[in-house]
């Protein structure tokens, strides 16, 4: 006969087998994050990296969809290898030929999407969604992973075309090409969405959409959310406080019904401002798998 404490010890040692795991999932554009603090369009100090890393720890993120990182080495400045697995899109490195604004002899580095996943969380890497790049060497691919903790959750990290943030740009003839590119990317996201719906899998698209989608009748959100199984804008209704230049959120988390059902009520928020850089704040939510 087993000692009665055996059952209790099993619960203490193996909680994930009996209880639903709660994970905090974030999306964060890290603003030209490079391994070399003197490289690229944002000059940093060690303190800048420390501030970002400490914020990630303080906010207790488990999974972070990241944007504007040059490479794996850059992510390791804020996501240490002994704590995090990192997946970066395999888009070919962009040549550093564009000069940074206001920084002579400084050149724009490669900007990639990706994910940082706390070690111990099971996941699989899916093929990059390169269609979001539109064949343009500068436009970013989507990084695609599936979380394998209990119920599967598919996640796509995105960084869409900048410059078409809302109605003022839609009506600006000088922004026609910019907005057309964003429309093309939204169409590609609809294709990805439909493929996931056919799989009947819980999924979320998260990252820097570069669009104020939480406004009445926004064409981007209407197109992305339309269909028999509409998406939910988890970041809808959140007041943007991060940067006065952005009175509305352009970073979002969009989830289908199955993923929405996993969200902990009231857990979706915008993170606090973290030093001078990055110029975006994280948005995050908690889910139970």
């Amino acid at each position: 006969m087993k000692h009665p404490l055996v059952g209790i010890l099993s619960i203490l040692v193996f909680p994930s087998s009996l209880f639903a795991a709660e994970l905090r999932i974030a999306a964060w554009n890290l603003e030209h994050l490079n391994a070399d603090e003197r490289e690229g369009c944002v000059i940093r100090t060690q303190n800048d990296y420390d501030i970002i890393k400490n914020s990630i720890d303080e906010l207790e993120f488990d999974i972070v969809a990241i944007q504007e990182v040059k490479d794996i080495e850059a992510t390791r400045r804020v996501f240490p290898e002994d704590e995090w697995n990192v997946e970066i899109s395999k888009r070919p490195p962009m040549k550093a030929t564009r000069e940074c604004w206001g920084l002579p002899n400084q050149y724009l580095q490669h900007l990639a999407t990706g994910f940082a996943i706390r070690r111990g969380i099971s996941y699989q890497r899916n093929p990059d969604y390169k269609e979001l790049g539109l064949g343009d060497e500068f436009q970013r691919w989507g990084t695609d992973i599936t979380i394998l903790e209990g119920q599967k959750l598919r996640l796509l990290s995105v960084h869409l075309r900048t410059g078409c943030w809302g109605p003022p740009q839609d009506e600006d003839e000088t922004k026609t090409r910019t907005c057309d590119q964003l429309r093309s990317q939204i169409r590609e996201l609809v294709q990805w969405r439909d493929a996931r719906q056919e799989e009947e899998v819980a999924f979320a698209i998260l990252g820097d959409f570069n669009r104020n989608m939480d406004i009445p009748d926004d064409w981007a959100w209407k197109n992305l959310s339309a269909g028999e199984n509409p998406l939910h804008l988890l970041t809808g209704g959140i007041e943007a406080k991060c940067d006065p230049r952005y009175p509305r959120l352009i970073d979002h988390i969009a989830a289908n019904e199955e993923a929405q059902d996993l969200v902990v009520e009231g857990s979706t928020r915008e993170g606090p401002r973290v030093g001078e850089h990055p110029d975006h704040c994280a948005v995050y939510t908690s889910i139970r798998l």
Side-chain angles (χ1 to χ4, degrees):
M1 179 178 178
K2 291 184 178 180
H3 193 282
L5 284 177
V6 171
I8 297 174
L9 289 173
S10 297
I11 293 174
L12 294 175
V13 176
F14 304 111
S16 62
S17 64
L18 296 174
F19 301 104
E22 185 171 311
L23 300 175
R24 182 166 287 180
I25 299 176
W28 203 355
N29 181 323
L30 292 170
E31 192 187 10
H32 303 276
L33 190 73
N34 298 293
D36 181 347
E37 55 260 39
R38 301 293 301 177
E39 183 181 55
C41 294
V42 174
I43 305 302
R44 286 183 162 93
T45 65
Q46 180 59 48
N47 187 54
D48 293 322
Y49 294 95
D50 290 342
I51 288 173
I52 295 172
K53 179 184 179 301
N54 291 338
S55 181
I56 291 166
D57 292 337
E58 289 170 4
L59 291 169
E60 299 182 323
F61 293 153
D62 296 300
I63 301 165
V64 186
I66 47 181
Q67 299 85 45
E68 286 198 16
V69 296
K70 181 184 178 184
D71 48 28
I72 291 284
E73 289 71 23
T75 68
R76 289 305 180 200
R77 294 297 299 265
V78 296
F79 296 102
E81 188 172 6
D82 62 338
E83 299 177 27
W84 296 86
N85 289 309
V86 173
E87 302 289 346
I88 297 294
S89 74
K90 294 179 172 57
R91 180 168 67 97
M94 186 184 67
K95 295 179 181 178
T97 58
R98 303 187 186 193
E99 193 166 16
C100 299
W101 48 97
L103 293 173
N105 302 317
Q106 294 287 128
Y107 294 92
L108 178 67
Q109 302 297 306
H110 186 67
L111 303 177
T113 63
F115 280 98
I117 308 104
R118 289 243 181 224
R119 290 195 178 274
I121 297 174
S122 299
Y123 73 99
Q124 71 179 27
R125 172 73 180 263
N126 303 312
D128 289 344
Y129 195 50
K130 63 182 181 181
E131 286 79 0
L132 282 182
L134 305 178
D136 182 331
E137 71 159 4
F138 181 74
Q139 296 306 317
R140 282 71 57 176
W141 296 2
T143 306
D144 188 336
I145 64 172
T146 301
I147 304 303
L148 303 173
E149 296 287 334
Q151 182 175 344
K152 293 182 179 180
L153 176 66
R154 189 94 172 243
L155 299 174
L156 184 68
S157 174
V158 302
H159 184 190
L160 303 186
R161 178 69 160 92
T162 190
C164 188
W165 303 287
Q169 291 75 41
D170 293 338
E171 299 167 7
D172 185 345
E173 291 184 358
T174 67
K175 295 289 186 179
T176 297
R177 182 176 181 276
T178 298
C179 290
D180 284 348
Q181 280 195 311
L182 183 62
R183 288 178 186 275
S184 295
Q185 288 180 319
I186 293 294
R187 284 194 292 269
E188 294 296 345
L189 283 183
V190 169
Q191 294 294 317
W192 189 91
R193 177 206 70 186
D194 290 347
R196 304 292 78 76
Q197 301 283 36
E198 290 180 6
E199 295 173 359
E200 298 182 348
V201 63
F203 69 84
I205 305 170
L206 65 169
D208 184 356
F209 287 75
N210 270 311
R211 183 73 187 180
N212 304 322
M213 296 197 298
D214 187 24
I215 56 177
D217 297 321
D218 178 62
W219 63 260
W221 178 242
K222 286 174 68 175
N223 290 343
L224 188 56
S225 63
E228 296 180 2
N229 189 353
L231 301 189
H232 299 266
L233 191 65
L234 302 186
T235 43
I238 294 178
E239 182 182 356
K241 298 179 179 179
C242 177
D243 190 319
R245 294 176 299 170
Y246 307 128
R248 291 181 179 271
L249 290 180
I250 60 173
D251 303 279
H252 297 286
I253 305 173
N256 72 339
E257 189 74 33
E258 289 81 357
Q260 163 79 0
D261 290 343
L262 304 175
V263 173
V264 177
E265 186 175 356
S267 67
T268 307
R269 296 183 176 89
E270 180 187 46
R273 181 79 180 172
V274 177
E276 183 181 358
H277 301 291
D279 60 352
H280 292 245
C281 293
V283 291
Y284 60 92
T285 195
S286 295
I287 61 166
R288 292 193 184 98
L289 293 177

